[in-house]
């Protein structure tokens, strides 16, 4: 379970998170929606301990990240897989080396075994025969899939998705959505996604939370969010230029 | 006047803050170096990239410097009949000063820039964050191998630079200018002590650490996409070269 309790975070004068409270249950698929600059990525980085709150707590399965040393933090991180917005594949490593990176670091498996495991994970995300390619040779959609294969390589309990459909054509984006749903069914993982793609949010989520100016405005099921009476949430999900949210 | 003082104060504060950050980064690097795990394969890869691939540029620089040094010394020494001292000048200059400094500057320009650009690109494309999420320390995986490889390889490149520079000087002094080869060699050996070589090599180790440290520091602190990578690369070369030249004076004074 993930508990985010009264988290505040600022960078210099700019306050990005202003008392975020959110609980994500085991096995749940939670999507945090919000406009650009609303603090979604910062929130996601707090969950995996890439950033730490100025005030407040982030608790993963009963362990408060603030209290952990580097070793403890790494042990918690092994519970996670994370898909980055631009996939963040390691340029200098081939596809199978990327997918098998955490296996190489944290297990005693041989290169041959790691490669076989990478092939298996790549098949799970619908990719075949690209093990020896370099990231530069892949399309955007393929990079995301490889990133996803890397995220699930050590069978994580929680997968974080940073804008999983951004930068993809509608068909590739929907294929990624299906993949997220499929992986959740097959692996039974907890999923936390951040996105401003409402189609994706409705499709992949059990619950949706709206983050606006560093605060959670509303949390609910996709149906509840669709029928919201909150003017800011309503404007955001309908994508209207008219309303309390103004384009910066 | 107040404005000038304000600007001066802010710049001073910026420089002091940056020095503090670099020293903290050095502390983290040293801690990561001794705490392990140590990525041996990465170390060898970096030794190849920083060391082996720098051989041509170091050889060219050292050879040219040794040859020019012999030629220029001859012109000056001939005026008071001291041509036989060319060998001493070349060997002392190459071992104590020019070998380590020129090798340091060349490696800073080539490998330091490459380190900053590679790590900077990894930073802005979130590859470093990705590595952390995979429970692997980027300090240990990326920085330590570069820092150690740069320090070790600068030592060996400097040895090579010294040998080639001295050989270039010998070639010009003996084969081109006609100095007696026995005198040339004897003068060189008699007036160059083992400590001269060690002083040069101690400098090389320090300069190697500087190039590795600054290249990695600049790369790890890159912000703002392609422009940021460009700035980090330039910054790495400029700061490394300046530090090499500044430290060279203090090391020379210390190792007098």
């Amino acid at each position: 379970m993930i508990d985010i309790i009264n988290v505040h975070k600022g960078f210099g004068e700019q306050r990005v998170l202003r008392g975020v409270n959110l609980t994500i249950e085991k096995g749940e698929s939670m999507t945090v929606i919000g406009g650009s600059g609303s603090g979604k990525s910062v929130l996601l980085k707090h969950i995996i301990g890439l950033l730490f709150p100025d005030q407040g707590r982030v608790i993963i399965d009963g362990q408060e990240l603030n209290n952990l040393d580097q070793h403890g933090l790494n042990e918690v991180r092994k519970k996670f897989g994370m898909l980055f917005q631009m996939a963040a594949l390691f340029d200098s490593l081939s596809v199978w080396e990327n997918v098998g990176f955490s296996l190489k670091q944290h297990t005693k498996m041989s290169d041959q075994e790691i490669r076989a495991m990478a092939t298996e994970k790549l098949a799970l995300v619908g990719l075949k025969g690209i093990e020896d390619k370099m990231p530069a040779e892949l399309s955007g959609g393929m990079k995301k899939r490889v990133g996803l294969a890397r995220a699930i390589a050590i069978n994580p309990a929680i997968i974080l998705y940073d804008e999983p459909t951004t930068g993809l054509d509608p068909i590739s984006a929907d294929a990624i959505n299906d993949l997220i749903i499929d992986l959740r069914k097959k692996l039974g993982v907890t999923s936390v996604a951040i996105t401003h793609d409402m189609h994706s949010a409705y499709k992949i989520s059990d619950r949706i939370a709206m983050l606006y100016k560093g605060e959670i405005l509303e949390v609910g099921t996709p149906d509840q969010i669709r029928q919201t009476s909150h003017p800011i949430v309503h404007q955001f999900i309908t994508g209207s230029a008219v309303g309390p949210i103004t384009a910066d | 006047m107040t404005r000038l003082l304000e600007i001066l104060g802010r710049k001073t504060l910026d420089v002091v803050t940056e020095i503090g950050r670099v020293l903290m980064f050095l502390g983290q690097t040293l801690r990561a170096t001794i705490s392990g795990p140590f990525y041996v394969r990465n170390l060898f890869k970096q030794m190849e990239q920083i060391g082996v691939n720098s051989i041509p540029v170091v050889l060219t620089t050292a050879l040219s410097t040794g040859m020019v040094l012999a030629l220029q010394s001859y012109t000056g020494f001939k005026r008071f009949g001291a041509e036989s001292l060319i060998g001493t000048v070349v060997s002392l200059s190459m071992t104590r000063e020019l070998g380590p400094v020129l090798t340091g500057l060349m490696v800073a320009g080539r490998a330091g820039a490459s380190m900053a650009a590679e790590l900077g690109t990894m930073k802005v494309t979130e590859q470093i964050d990705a590595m952390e999420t995979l429970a692997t320390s980027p300090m240990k995986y990326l920085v330590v191998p570069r820092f150690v490889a740069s320090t070790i390889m600068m030592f060996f490149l400097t040895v090579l630079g010294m040998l080639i520079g001295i050989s270039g000087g010998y070639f010009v002094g003996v084969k081109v200018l006609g100095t007696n080869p026995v005198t040339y060699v004897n003068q060189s050996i008699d007036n160059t002590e083992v400590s001269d070589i060690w002083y040069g090599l101690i400098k090389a180790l320090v300069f190697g650490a500087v190039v590795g440290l600054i290249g990695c520091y600049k790369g790890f602190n890159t912000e703002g996409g392609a422009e940021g990578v460009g700035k980090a690369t330039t910054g790495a070369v400029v700061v490394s070269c300046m530090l090499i030249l500044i430290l060279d004076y203090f090391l020379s004074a210390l190792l007098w």
Side-chain angles (χ1 to χ4, degrees), chain A residues 45 48 50 74 77-78 82 84 88-92 101-102 104-106 111 150, chain B residues 39 41 45 118 121-122 125-137 141:
Chain A
K45 287 182 177 178
I48 198 166
L50 287 175
N74 279 341
R77 281 176 178 155
K78 287 178 190 170
M82 182 165 175
F84 283 81
L89 300 179
F90 304 126
D91 294 330
S92 56
F101 186 85
S102 48
K104 178 92 178 162
Q105 305 309 320
H106 307 303
D111 279 1
R150 183 176 68 182
Chain B
Y39 295 95
R41 196 187 292 185
K45 190 177 165 191
E118 189 182 356
T121 305
M122 290 186 77
T125 55
E126 297 189 303
Q127 292 177 53
I128 291 177
D129 279 348
M131 193 170 284
E132 284 207 63
T133 67
L134 295 166
T136 301
S137 162
Y141 191 87

Side-chain angles (χ1 to χ4, degrees), chain B residues 48-236:
Chain B
E48 183 193 349
Q49 287 192 353
I50 297 167
V52 179
N53 295 348
S54 295
I55 288 175
V57 71
V58 169
L59 287 190
T60 310
T61 311
L63 186 66
S64 157
T65 306
M67 291 169 77
V68 169
L69 199 58
L71 207 56
Q72 297 285 28
S73 312
Y74 181 82
T75 313
F77 287 171
K78 196 181 170 196
R79 290 174 192 161
F80 42 91
E83 298 96 318
S84 59
L85 288 174
I86 296 173
T88 306
V89 169
V90 171
S91 61
L92 273 181
S93 304
M94 287 311 298
T95 51
R96 289 189 72 106
E97 184 64 31
L98 295 175
V101 172
L102 291 176
T103 306
L105 295 176
M106 288 301 119
V107 176
R110 209 198 69 78
S114 159
M115 267 184 246
E118 189 182 356
L119 296 181
T121 305
M122 290 186 77
K123 175 79 193 309
V124 299
T125 55
E126 297 189 303
Q127 292 177 53
I128 291 177
D129 279 348
M131 193 170 284
E132 284 207 63
T133 67
L134 295 166
T136 301
S137 162
M139 285 300 288
K140 291 177 183 173
Y141 191 87
L142 298 170
V143 176
V144 170
R146 284 167 173 78
F147 177 74
V148 174
S150 175
T151 309
I152 293 172
M153 293 317 281
M154 192 74 84
F155 180 94
F156 289 111
L157 286 170
T158 301
V159 170
L160 204 63
M162 287 174 178
L163 287 172
I164 295 299
I166 291 168
S167 306
Y170 175 87
F171 176 78
V172 171
V174 173
K175 303 289 177 191
V176 179
L177 302 171
T179 311
N180 183 303
V182 177
T183 313
Y184 188 100
V185 172
N186 284 344
Q187 284 285 347
S188 298
I189 293 172
D190 290 348
N191 294 314
T192 308
E193 293 173 14
V194 176
S195 61
D196 293 322
I197 298 168
W198 275 115
Y199 290 165
L201 293 177
I202 288 168
K203 281 184 180 180
L205 287 171
V206 175
F207 297 162
V210 164
V211 170
L213 180 74
I214 301 298
C216 292
Y217 173 78
K218 289 288 180 185
F220 260 53
N221 288 283
T222 303
E223 283 174 351
E227 191 189 351
V229 175
K231 279 184 184 166
T233 309
T234 312

Side-chain angles (χ1 to χ4, degrees), chain B residues 31-49:
Chain B
R31 206 166 40 243
T33 306
I34 53 175
S35 66
F38 202 80
Y39 295 95
V40 179
R41 196 187 292 185
N42 289 7
L43 175 68
F44 284 126
K45 190 177 165 191
Q46 290 306 320
M47 284 170 85
E48 183 193 349
Q49 287 192 353

Side-chain angles (χ1 to χ4, degrees), chain A residues 2-225:
Chain A
I2 301 168
D3 264 324
I4 299 161
I5 303 164
N6 192 31
V7 166
H8 290 256
K9 182 71 180 179
F11 298 98
E13 297 291 302
Q14 194 189 4
R15 289 179 64 208
V16 181
L17 300 180
R18 301 161 187 252
V20 172
N21 287 290
L22 192 64
T23 299
I24 301 158
E25 300 294 339
K26 192 174 179 188
E28 185 182 22
S29 176
M30 167 68 81
T31 301
V32 179
I33 57 169
S36 304
S38 59
K40 302 189 300 292
S41 293
V42 171
L43 180 61
L44 202 68
K45 287 182 177 178
H46 275 80
I47 295 175
I48 198 166
L50 287 175
L51 290 173
F52 292 91
D54 296 335
Q55 189 189 321
R57 298 186 295 159
V58 177
I59 301 170
I60 310 294
D61 292 338
Q63 286 183 291
E64 187 177 339
L65 298 189
N66 272 11
N67 297 340
L68 299 174
D69 59 8
Q70 192 59 46
H71 175 73
L73 192 58
N74 279 341
E75 288 306 307
V76 171
R77 281 176 178 155
K78 287 178 190 170
K79 296 179 181 180
F80 285 90
M82 182 165 175
L83 173 62
F84 283 81
Q85 191 175 344
M86 304 308 289
L89 300 179
F90 304 126
D91 294 330
S92 56
L93 303 181
S94 66
V95 165
W96 80 266
E97 287 170 324
N98 262 284
V99 176
F101 186 85
S102 48
L103 297 172
K104 178 92 178 162
Q105 305 309 320
H106 307 303
T107 70
K108 293 191 187 309
M109 290 167 76
S110 68
D111 279 1
Q112 210 173 1
E113 289 167 325
I114 291 172
R115 192 188 162 99
M117 185 63 86
T119 304
E120 191 183 303
K121 299 297 178 186
L122 286 166
L124 263 178
V125 298
L127 293 172
K128 268 195 287 188
I130 62 157
E131 287 83 350
D132 293 315
K133 285 192 185 296
M134 296 304 283
E137 299 173 74
L138 306 177
S139 68
M142 285 167 93
K143 280 182 187 168
K144 290 246 181 181
R145 283 166 182 260
V146 174
L148 200 46
R150 183 176 68 182
I152 60 172
I154 49 167
N155 303 319
I158 305 162
I159 304 181
L160 307 180
Y161 300 95
D162 183 359
E163 309 268 8
T165 56
T166 298
L168 299 180
D169 64 76
I171 294 162
S172 300
D174 204 44
I176 291 287
N177 289 335
D178 288 340
L179 203 53
I180 292 171
I181 296 166
D182 195 36
L183 284 177
R184 200 175 143 230
K185 278 183 195 158
K186 282 180 185 163
L187 308 175
V189 294
T190 305
S191 304
V192 185
I194 59 167
T195 187
H196 46 223
D197 174 354
M198 286 313 301
H199 173 72
S200 174
Y202 288 139
K203 189 164 183 176
I204 65 173
S205 318
D206 294 329
R207 287 195 301 155
I208 297 172
M210 168 85 185
L211 186 66
Y212 180 68
K213 291 190 174 172
E215 290 178 75
I216 297 284
L217 294 186
E218 191 165 351
V219 185
T221 63
D223 282 342
Q224 285 169 335
I225 293 293

